[in-house]
Amino acid sequence: MPDDPDRILSTHVGSLPRTDALLPYFEALAAGEEIDAAAFEETVREATVTAVRRQAEAGIDIGTHGEQGRGSFVTYVTNRLTGFEGEVPAVQWADLEEYPAYASQVPTFSEWSEPGATIPAATGPIEYRGEAEATAELDRFETALETTGVTFSDTFVTAAAPGTVASYIGNTYYEDHDAYLTAVTEAMQTEYELIADAGYTLQIDAPDLLGGRHLKFKDYSETEFVEILRSHVAALNDALENVPADQVRLHTCWGNYEGPHHHDIPLERALPELYDADVRGLQLEQANPSHQHDYTLFEEHPLPDEWTLIPGVIDVNTNHIEPPEVVADRIERFVDALGTPAPVHAGADCGLGTFAGFGAVDPEIAWKKLEALADGAALATERVY
């Protein structure tokens, strides 16, 4: 994890709006149609260059490739793992189930409310087969950095957590959740090591650690879900056994959608368990109205030594562009709670392009929000240093 003793660094969660040129390819792939692979590859390369350039123009300190070649933050793994040849009925978030009329209007997740909606599912043994695709993605990012001449304070590449895959993608092959989780853990370890060996900070996307409570495990009590959370953290640690902890940051959230969120598990039930992860950075959704009070928890549950806290200080489900003053205020809450600005970076609640072509925020507004994030981090630096 990078450190700057003189200022608060800005970053985000990783997925960024896909370029207009990319969207037709993802639409065709989603419809099961053939695409021109060479043309798609070239378009992804161009989009990655654009993502790198625009992050730099927005003032982001810690940047990434923007997931331009992925259809989503989690289902991309079905191309990199064997065994995902089937489908199962989609599962709806517990809070949206209580408001079906509203759920049908929510960007991205409205499709999950339609009769017959499905998600991918494991129907056979899971093994990693994505070395070539993952390496190509890393090469595109390196080429984009060279092409643009952009130098970030640090660079990161995202990968789905074992628990995220096992919670957000279905299973009809393994006998139970534990067996499914174990298989995914063993397979995804390869991807994590590829990213780390390439020299990037590895960001683990783990919405399962919070959002899983009101999705796959919505019929569990909070106590029962905490046991699931512990097993998912343990699985992640197994997968990271060969990756230095100071090269890993963990992102978790309660689901990247605008909804009631009245079934979110309280952070105080989960935070001590998150601290057991073998990482050095923790990214938390903190700008949405349901969780803006959570900063006080860091007085009771201090951040572990050598960890960096990356609170979300822009909401990725609203088209309001937060003024830098608002962003700075949000950052200062965490500085005050921790008693020092040293371990605080400024981040976003979740991705701004979690699914290709879907999202609550207009793409151009998304870039402006990232600019406000960077400006707010600079303003907070003036205030606290």
Side-chain angles (χ1 to χ4, degrees), residues 63-120:
T64 188
H65 57 81
E67 299 182 6
Q68 297 299 292
R70 304 183 190 181
S72 90
F73 80 101
V74 60
T75 56
Y76 82 95
V77 303
T78 62
N79 296 324
R80 300 187 186 184
L81 303 177
T82 64
F84 290 100
E85 306 296 337
E87 296 179 336
V88 295
V91 179
Q92 183 59 282
W93 302 89
D95 58 332
L96 293 180
E97 277 186 326
E98 294 186 14
Y99 299 93
Y102 174 70
S104 67
Q105 306 170 39
V106 178
T108 304
F109 299 108
S110 60
E111 293 188 359
W112 293 18
S113 300
E114 296 176 358
T118 61
I119 55 175

Side-chain angles (χ1 to χ4, degrees), residues 201-239:
T201 291
L202 167 64
Q203 177 182 301
I204 297 294
D205 286 327
D208 58 295
L209 301 179
L210 296 174
R213 167 65 178 83
H214 56 288
L215 190 65
K216 181 171 183 175
F217 303 101
K218 57 190 169 185
D219 295 328
Y220 284 51
S221 68
E222 284 189 0
T223 299
E224 290 170 333
F225 176 71
V226 169
E227 290 301 316
I228 293 291
L229 192 165
R230 288 173 180 155
S231 71
H232 285 200
V233 170
L236 175 60
N237 289 344
D238 287 343

Side-chain angles (χ1 to χ4, degrees), residues 354-382:
T354 308
F355 293 81
F358 294 94
V361 180
D362 175 86
E364 287 305 312
I365 294 176
W367 289 109
K368 193 65 176 178
K369 286 171 78 77
L370 287 179
E371 183 180 327
L373 166 62
D375 289 345
L379 179 57
T381 295
E382 293 177 6

